[in-house]
Amino acid sequence: MTGLLLPYGPWALIAGASEGTGRAFAERLAAQGYKLILLARREAPLAGLAAELSARYDTECLWASVDLADADAADRIAALCGDRKIGLFIANAGADPHGTHFLDSDIDSWTALVGRNVMTLMRLCHHLGRAMRARRRGGIILVGSGACYGGAPGLGVYAGSKAFDLCLGEALWAELQPHGVDVLNLILGRTDTPELRRFLASRGAALPADLALPDDVARVGLERLPHGPVHHWGLADEEQGYAPQSAAARRDRILAIAQAMRDLQGAGA
């Protein structure tokens, strides 16, 4: 087993770890020597992955079946973490399984999506981020979607929740950067995951040819983490592409606002 290739360890917490990009993150981090806490709703694939990675890489893998939409999900996860030093948090859960117009699904479905994508994610960032700031070391990856940049039919609540995550992640990046903690919003397009395949199959739709591969997503996400706050999948740092602004332009904007706020506070002192 090699030493850690990323300076965040020793533990990584991955939400949505049982398959797809979450599984790819877990495999890469286990290979780098991380101890893992794996979270997802389905027990069987999660337990199987934990046993597989533990045996293959001789590392410790804890797992828990947690529905991140539950009001007490963050508290349960915090209790599971205990006093372990969680150096890396990857928020990978939060797909929209509905694909319907807002009024065509029960409000409870949308409330659960907001609980999963907003409330639990925010609480975990707060709990884990405080400990990282105190240690002056850590990393947070919020796996997002290009839907964060605007609403569309069938994507209203999902897009709104991802827009919240983007704004929170950018603010966290600016606030935690002076304390040695890296934050990245990894903004994805369509990715070849089992969840997407199930969704397309349920609607009789063909699999697109231009999908990102989960292992590539995990590799790029970990590579770009030190260069937050945003990485747009498939685009260079200064390339705008499908986003309203390039990642570099968003970074410059946040830094300019942060400096203006410091200047304002200094002027009022």
Side-chain angles (χ1 to χ4, degrees), residues 181-212:
V181 179
D182 295 327
V183 181
L184 177 71
N185 292 278
L186 179 58
I187 307 300
L188 302 181
R190 295 179 296 184
T191 304
D192 188 359
T193 64
E195 179 70 23
L196 177 64
R197 286 176 175 257
R198 287 190 291 266
F199 179 81
L200 293 175
S202 72
R203 285 158 173 74
L207 193 70
D210 59 345
L211 299 179

Side-chain angles (χ1 to χ4, degrees), residues 176-243:
L176 292 177
Q177 188 184 36
H179 302 280
V181 179
D182 295 327
V183 181
L184 177 71
N185 292 278
L186 179 58
I187 307 300
L188 302 181
R190 295 179 296 184
T191 304
D192 188 359
T193 64
E195 179 70 23
L196 177 64
R197 286 176 175 257
R198 287 190 291 266
F199 179 81
L200 293 175
S202 72
R203 285 158 173 74
L207 193 70
D210 59 345
L211 299 179
L213 299 178
D215 189 60
D216 290 338
V217 169
R219 174 182 55 80
V220 171
L222 294 172
E223 288 175 353
R224 294 303 305 172
L225 175 54
H227 310 288
V230 176
H231 175 71
H232 295 123
W233 180 258
L235 299 178
D237 195 51
E238 296 184 355
E239 185 179 2
Q240 178 178 342
Y242 54 81

